[in-house]
């Protein structure tokens, strides 16, 4: 068998071998929804990163509130999942900062917390929902999918 060349053009993959050129597949160009996970607990970040990848999301992580603000501006995530209690800039402070910033006032934000949070407290904070630690995986994924475009997580 001779040399084989593969290239992509206009969302299609072509293979050249010997004296023929064959179209082999149409590439589906779908972007995965970016989920920013903010937590000062590294094992939680690693767990969330692996879990979110498994369910078709693109996880981005931040270990502090300040890092979260940088990542939101840089990556423009579909959803932010943030720990409520962090040293330095707390999750509450990050949510308030994002809500005050033009362009991010409608960004879906879910609070990760070890304690239940009332709907009135969530509303006062400016968050869209809460995920209790330890979290139920099905509930977490369902909440994330509720805030991301359906065609991206199919």
């Amino acid at each position: 068998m001779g040399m084989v060349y593969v290239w992509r053009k206009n969302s299609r993959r072509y293979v050249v071998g010997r004296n023929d050129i064959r179209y082999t597949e149409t590439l589906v160009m779908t972007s995965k929804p970016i989920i920013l996970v903010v937590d000062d607990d590294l094992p939680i970040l690693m767990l969330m990163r692996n879990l979110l990848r498994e369910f078709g999301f693109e996880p981005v992580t931040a270990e502090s509130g300040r890092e979260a603000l940088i990542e939101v501006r840089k990556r423009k995530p579909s959803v932010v999942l943030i720990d409520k209690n962090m040293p330095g800039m707390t999750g509450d402070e990050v949510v308030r900062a994002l809500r005050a910033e033009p362009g991010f006032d409608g960004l879906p934000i879910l609070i990760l917390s070890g304690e239940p949070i009332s709907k009135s407290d969530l509303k006062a904070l400016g968050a869209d929902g809460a995920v209790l630690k330890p979290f139920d995986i099905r509930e977490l994924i369902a909440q994330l999918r509720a805030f991301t475009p359906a065609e991206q997580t199919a």
Side-chain angles (χ1 to χ4, degrees):
M1 186 167 154
M3 291 191 109
V4 173
Y5 298 94
V6 177
W7 81 94
R8 289 183 165 87
K9 182 178 178 184
N10 298 329
S11 299
R12 293 179 182 218
R13 181 172 173 243
Y14 293 88
V15 177
V16 179
R18 294 231 166 179
N19 295 321
D20 66 334
I21 298 176
R22 290 177 294 168
Y23 154 76
T24 59
E25 65 182 89
T26 299
L27 298 175
V28 178
M29 298 296 200
T30 58
S31 61
K32 295 179 180 181
I34 297 171
I35 308 297
L36 174 61
V37 182
V38 187
D39 202 310
D40 60 317
D41 188 349
L42 289 176
I44 294 275
L45 288 179
M46 290 173 56
L47 171 69
M48 293 297 269
R49 188 180 302 136
N50 293 333
L51 181 67
L52 293 174
R53 277 190 189 125
E54 190 70 28
F55 282 92
F57 298 101
E58 182 182 333
V60 174
T61 58
E63 297 177 37
S64 70
R66 294 196 192 291
E67 189 181 337
L69 293 175
I70 291 166
E71 288 297 329
V72 165
R73 292 176 190 128
K74 184 168 76 173
R75 302 296 301 269
K76 300 189 180 27
S78 298
V79 179
V80 174
L81 187 58
I82 187 165
D83 184 22
K84 183 172 176 27
N85 299 313
M86 292 187 296
M89 190 176 200
T90 66
D92 295 2
E93 292 170 330
V94 174
V95 173
R96 287 188 185 100
L98 287 173
R99 291 300 182 228
E101 196 164 321
F104 298 116
D105 53 341
L107 174 65
I109 300 173
L110 301 176
I111 300 293
L112 269 173
S113 178
E115 306 130 19
I117 304 172
S118 71
K119 288 188 180 193
S120 61
D121 287 345
L122 284 174
K123 186 174 182 177
L125 179 60
D128 299 290
V131 176
L132 285 177
K133 292 183 197 176
F135 53 85
D136 178 275
I137 294 172
R138 289 175 296 203
E139 181 183 318
L140 170 67
I141 298 303
Q143 283 196 51
L144 291 174
R145 286 187 173 152
F147 290 106
T148 55
E151 66 275 2
Q152 289 186 341
T153 57

